[in-house]
Amino acid sequence: MTAFLPDAFLTSTAVVALAEIGDKTQLLAIVLATRYRRPLPIIAGILVATIVNHFFSALIGSTAAGLLDSVWFRYAVAAGFVAMGLWTLVPDSVDDDIDAKGGRHGVFLTTLIAFFLVEMGDKTQVATIALGARYHDAVTVAAGTTLGMMLANVPAVFLGNEVIRRVPLALVRTVAAILFVCLGLWLGAKTAGLV
């Protein structure tokens, strides 16, 4: 077991919290909150889905980095962060086809399944894989990315549509994109020995 890496935890938290603003999973959280009006099972479903999804994503990144630990792989991770920044500028939408009663399995299970599936291939999952590759610590990265998801989604669940109406998502997406690109450029410069 590796030691706790505060840098990995804080970076993972910040990256995913910023990437999640206006993301389709955050929109899903808002849709679920406005449909079911039961915040606790929705939050629990988001938490469990995120822990499972992000732990395996960070583990994949960490394992792949260990197998492919080379200069070119580090450049690929840096390029991935730059691409993530550009991807962040693209607005997301979410399918509004969710049963108003919580499906056959209740609000918690409906949230867990929907959130897990929508997160597959999402930019926050890709960021988690890249962070796992960068820090080689799946547990710390998953803990940080899960906290980032919860920081972005718990207010969305409680405030629902008010969050969307008051937060200028285009500005937040732009700031998040700049941070991703800067992180990618910094990783690239560090790999090249420039910093």
Side-chain angles (χ1 to χ4, degrees):
M1 185 167 159
T2 60
F4 177 75
L5 302 170
D7 185 44
F9 179 77
L10 295 173
T11 300
S12 298
T13 300
V15 164
V16 169
L18 287 171
E20 184 63 8
I21 305 278
D23 190 64
K24 66 183 175 232
T25 46
Q26 187 179 54
L27 298 176
L28 175 62
I30 292 169
V31 168
L32 291 167
T34 56
R35 289 237 176 154
Y36 301 134
R37 303 193 190 287
R38 295 189 52 209
L40 295 182
I42 292 168
I43 291 168
I46 291 169
L47 177 63
V48 172
T50 302
I51 289 170
V52 172
N53 189 297
H54 284 206
F55 174 73
F56 285 113
S57 298
L59 189 61
I60 288 167
S62 180
T63 302
L67 296 173
L68 303 170
D69 194 17
S70 69
V71 171
W72 293 110
F73 185 76
R74 287 190 291 272
Y75 280 127
V77 170
F81 276 108
V82 172
M84 186 70 51
L86 299 176
W87 189 7
T88 299
L89 294 172
V90 178
D92 282 323
S93 63
V94 68
D95 184 9
D96 204 27
D97 189 25
I98 299 170
D99 185 282
K101 295 179 183 170
R104 298 183 306 208
H105 306 292
V107 175
F108 169 77
L109 197 54
T110 298
T111 301
L112 188 146
I113 292 168
F115 211 84
F116 185 87
L117 292 175
V118 169
E119 184 65 9
M120 297 300 287
D122 191 60
K123 63 184 159 234
T124 50
Q125 184 186 44
V126 174
T128 302
I129 292 169
L131 289 161
R134 165 70 178 94
Y135 291 107
H136 304 275
D137 186 346
V139 172
T140 303
V141 167
T145 59
T146 298
L147 178 60
M149 288 290 276
M150 300 313 289
L151 288 173
N153 286 307
V154 169
V157 169
F158 281 112
L159 301 175
N161 289 325
E162 288 299 314
V163 172
I164 295 300
R165 284 194 356 213
R166 297 185 189 273
V167 176
L169 293 180
L171 175 63
V172 174
R173 276 192 204 97
T174 301
V175 170
I178 290 168
L179 291 174
F180 275 122
V181 169
C182 288
L183 183 58
L185 294 174
W186 179 80
L187 288 173
K190 186 174 179 182
T191 301
L194 301 174
V195 290

